Amino acid sequence: MSAPSLSQILGTPLSAPPAHSGCSAGSCGSKPSRVAGLTADIQKKVQDHPCYSEEAHHHFARMHVAVAPACNIQCNYCNRKYDCSNESRPGVVSEVLSPAQAIKKTLAVAAAIPQMSVLGIAGPGDALANPARTFEVFRALQQRAPDIKLCLSTNGLMLPQYVEQIAAANVDHVTITINCIDPDVGAQIYPWIFWEHRRVSGREAAEILIAQQQKGLEMLVARGILVKVNSVMIPGINDEHLKEVSRVVRAKGAFLHNVMPLISEAEHGTHFGLSGQRGPTPAELQALQDACAGDMNMMRHCRQCRADAVGMLGEDRGAEFTLDKIEAMEIDEVAAMARRVALRASINAELEAKRAARHAAPVVQIKAPSRGRPVQMAVASSGQDLVNQHFGHAREFLIYEASSAGVRFLGSRRAAQYCGGESECGEAENTLARTIATLADCEVVLCSRIGFEPWSKLEAAGIQPNGEHAMEGIEAAVLSVWQEMLVAGKLERAPFAEQMRA
Ligand code: CLF
Ligand code: SF4
């Protein structure tokens, strides 16, 4: 007997993804349905900010300038002395810039990459522990490139003192790293802070920091500045507590919460790395993000950028813009700004048209949701929201879940590039094994192309490679594969990984 058709199973033709095929409410930042539901003012602020809008991160780039070397607190997960060109994590930079160098670099990048819509100051120390340098850059860019959004990231210790200057500099996106609201938890994360000309340690330090962060958050919200809260998930220390943090910052008006995994390796020389404190597994992180979600916007596409990152999230083009290279660049600031403004308008018009089409599409009536269990899939994409990357070239995979409720984005996972060229000869086997382990809970991997060797190894591990949706939109492709699995009766069986465990 042949398999039933999809419309027989679902009871209605499926010509398009469901109207709300993106993340379900509260699951991940400003997805299309959320962008449409925001006030015009907020929509304008987030629509081309790659961190505040998941949709925007497929199309717009950001850059950081590393003008803030000093920090006024110590976090047990931070060591700014360690640098490595392959390393990507907050606090890591190749060169600290003077404000003048940072301004020049920003104008050079903004001329070369017209998708660049946001300039952030995120270290390598704390932006507000270096206020003169930070605000000099913001003030100059406000004058010379007023179309670029200004973004600031801080630990919050000095935030209340600088809210006025932040507002005056037209910075309308601020990130505060808030890992706790309980000083006993904080004492396990922060050994000391520098406060009113003295070093304060232990519980007292955490108490001061928490009070300053909360006050700063309230003051920013009162001024209409969008606040994102970053939290580092540290298993056994603040993982359970972060649900309460999420509840409190949401009640105070934070726009977005970004729960990130602790990065902890002994070779980084951090306290947590040396003491063996582990980071969370992808499943633990996902579970906490889901638990925090409620009606809060959760960010799930963070790439834990370097403090000198340049380009789309997930890529780093910093090597193209070293000081010696930008010195040699001729920049026509006026022409570059006109190009950026035109490109931004055209991308936003295209996204608006897609949103309208999505809302106009027929709503899929699912009559038998129990027959379609959720399926987790990995996607290789180099941007534009498309399945457009060769499996062997992917340095990260985007993880989606498809179910009868639609498609939702779960996050991204780093991977080593399988086709790494001659330098990696002999390493390919290990790289592939590591990638397969990273994707072990996915049932399908979508990519534009894939070689025979990785295809057969993925298949043997229960992960079905799929190159049939090359250059299609990611969500439509993921939904389409789920539908094919449903029609083929594959969703009546448990995922391969579960079958192996049974
Ligand atoms: Fe940079 Fe941060 Fe602004 Fe974005 S990053 S200062 S809000 S422009 Fe973005 Fe990078 Fe995650 Fe930060 S992906 S680490 S959340
Ligand atoms: Fe490092 Fe940032 Fe913590 Fe300062 S606030 S110690 S720079 S992670």
Side-chain angles (χ1 to χ4, degrees):
M1 203 174 90
S2 62
S5 75
L6 191 63
S7 51
Q8 280 172 306
I9 295 171
L10 302 180
T12 193
L14 272 164
S15 57
H20 299 287
S21 66
C23 307
S24 56
S27 67
C28 81
S30 304
K31 280 297 290 175
S33 55
R34 283 201 162 272
V35 170
L38 299 171
T39 63
D41 181 43
I42 294 185
Q43 183 170 333
K44 204 156 169 258
K45 283 183 181 167
V46 303
Q47 67 186 3
D48 45 18
H49 194 307
C51 303
Y52 281 69
S53 160
E54 199 262 306
E55 184 183 53
H57 102 278
H58 296 291
H59 305 276
F60 293 102
R62 57 73 186 99
M63 71 176 286
H64 293 161
V65 283
V67 289
C71 192
N72 44 15
I73 71 173
Q74 180 61 55
C75 304
N76 278 332
Y77 49 76
C78 180
N79 174 7
R80 297 187 301 287
K81 292 194 190 101
Y82 178 89
D83 185 19
C84 156
S85 60
N86 295 318
E87 178 66 356
S88 178
R89 65 191 167 90
V92 172
V93 293
S94 294
E95 49 193 359
V96 171
L97 305 181
S98 70
Q101 290 168 330
I103 294 159
K104 179 140 201 206
K105 181 173 178 180
T106 306
L107 294 168
V109 172
I113 308 177
Q115 299 93 326
M116 211 282 276
S117 57
V118 179
L119 178 274
I121 297 185
D126 187 78
L128 298 180
N130 304 263
R133 299 166 67 90
T134 294
F135 288 107
E136 185 180 338
V137 173
F138 284 153
R139 274 193 297 270
L141 292 174
Q142 203 187 341
Q143 300 274 317
R144 294 172 68 175
D147 62 304
I148 293 177
K149 286 182 165 41
L150 302 175
C151 197
L152 177 147
S153 180
T154 177
N155 59 40
L157 182 65
M158 295 307 290
L159 187 51
Q161 284 83 333
Y162 288 104
V163 167
E164 287 306 331
Q165 277 199 58
I166 290 170
N170 263 351
V171 176
D172 50 15
H173 297 78
V174 173
T175 296
I176 316 172
T177 300
I178 300 180
N179 295 318
C180 57
I181 49 171
D182 176 344
D184 289 322
V185 175
Q188 299 172 65
I189 301 171
Y190 308 105
W192 56 261
I193 64 169
F194 197 72
W195 178 248
E196 292 180 344
H197 313 292
R198 70 187 175 103
R199 192 180 273 221
V200 182
S201 53
R203 195 178 188 283
E204 187 193 352
E207 216 161 19
I208 296 167
L209 179 62
I210 291 167
Q212 289 290 98
Q213 291 172 336
Q214 297 298 315
K215 188 172 170 197
L217 166 60
E218 288 163 20
M219 291 171 72
L220 289 169
V221 170
R223 276 165 182 74
I225 295 170
L226 284 190
V227 181
K228 174 163 70 61
V229 169
N230 279 1
S231 300
V232 180
M233 176 183 181
I234 310 163
I237 293 185
N238 71 347
D239 43 354
E240 278 304 306
H241 179 59
L242 284 180
K243 295 174 197 167
E244 177 67 0
V245 172
S246 208
R247 197 188 59 71
V248 168
V249 300
R250 177 194 324 153
K252 291 191 175 175
F255 177 74
L256 198 58
H257 192 193
N258 174 23
V259 177
M260 310 180 294
L262 171 71
I263 299 173
S264 176
E265 307 291 342
E267 65 264 30
H268 296 163
T270 64
H271 173 79
F272 281 151
L274 295 171
S275 65
Q277 169 64 52
R278 73 172 180 92
T281 64
E284 287 171 336
L285 178 67
Q286 210 167 291
L288 180 60
Q289 288 172 333
D290 286 345
C292 288
D295 61 353
M296 175 84 175
N297 288 339
M298 295 299 293
M299 178 178 186
R300 303 200 191 225
H301 58 284
C302 177
R303 303 303 204 276
Q304 293 179 281
C305 319
R306 294 164 58 96
D308 58 2
V310 174
M312 308 289 285
L313 300 194
E315 75 173 2
D316 192 357
R317 297 179 58 180
E320 295 169 42
F321 301 97
T322 51
L323 286 177
D324 51 334
K325 287 181 184 156
I326 59 173
E327 257 336 297
M329 290 180 190
E330 289 283 329
I331 305 162
D332 180 338
E333 293 177 28
V334 176
M337 183 158 66
R339 260 200 313 280
R340 288 193 300 273
V341 170
L343 180 70
R344 206 168 297 155
S346 109
I347 294 174
N348 279 326
E350 199 180 305
L351 293 179
E352 191 51 52
K354 275 193 194 163
R355 262 177 241 135
R358 202 178 280 117
H359 280 273
V363 176
V364 178
Q365 302 292 324
I366 306 285
K367 285 197 173 163
S370 61
R371 300 188 65 175
R373 64 173 171 77
V375 174
Q376 206 161 293
M377 303 186 202
V379 177
S381 172
S382 59
Q384 281 101 51
D385 211 359
L386 299 173
V387 180
N388 59 359
Q389 196 168 38
H390 190 301
F391 175 85
H393 298 165
R395 288 184 184 276
E396 65 170 17
F397 290 89
L398 305 180
I399 310 296
Y400 288 81
E401 182 190 77
S403 71
S404 55
V407 177
R408 74 179 184 130
F409 176 66
L410 298 179
S412 63
R413 293 189 196 159
R414 286 183 193 160
Q417 206 176 337
Y418 174 62
C419 301
E422 283 176 27
S423 62
E424 293 211 53
C425 282
E427 263 303 298
E429 282 283 304
N430 290 339
T431 303
L432 181 57
R434 283 198 300 274
T435 300
I436 289 174
T438 301
L439 304 181
D441 54 354
C442 298
E443 294 180 63
V444 178
V445 58
L446 287 100
C447 50
S448 61
R449 289 177 61 200
I450 180 167
F452 177 75
E453 173 82 5
W455 179 291
S456 50
K457 295 226 159 109
L458 281 160
E459 232 177 13
I463 305 168
Q464 184 59 53
N466 185 316
E468 287 165 23
H469 296 272
M471 301 314 292
E472 286 181 20
I474 294 175
E475 290 194 3
V478 167
L479 186 68
S480 171
V481 172
W482 181 82
Q483 290 165 352
E484 286 155 20
M485 293 173 79
L486 181 67
V487 170
K490 291 183 182 170
L491 303 188
E492 285 157 27
R493 298 193 293 272
F496 180 79
E498 271 178 40
Q499 291 177 36
M500 295 297 284
R501 277 198 297 273

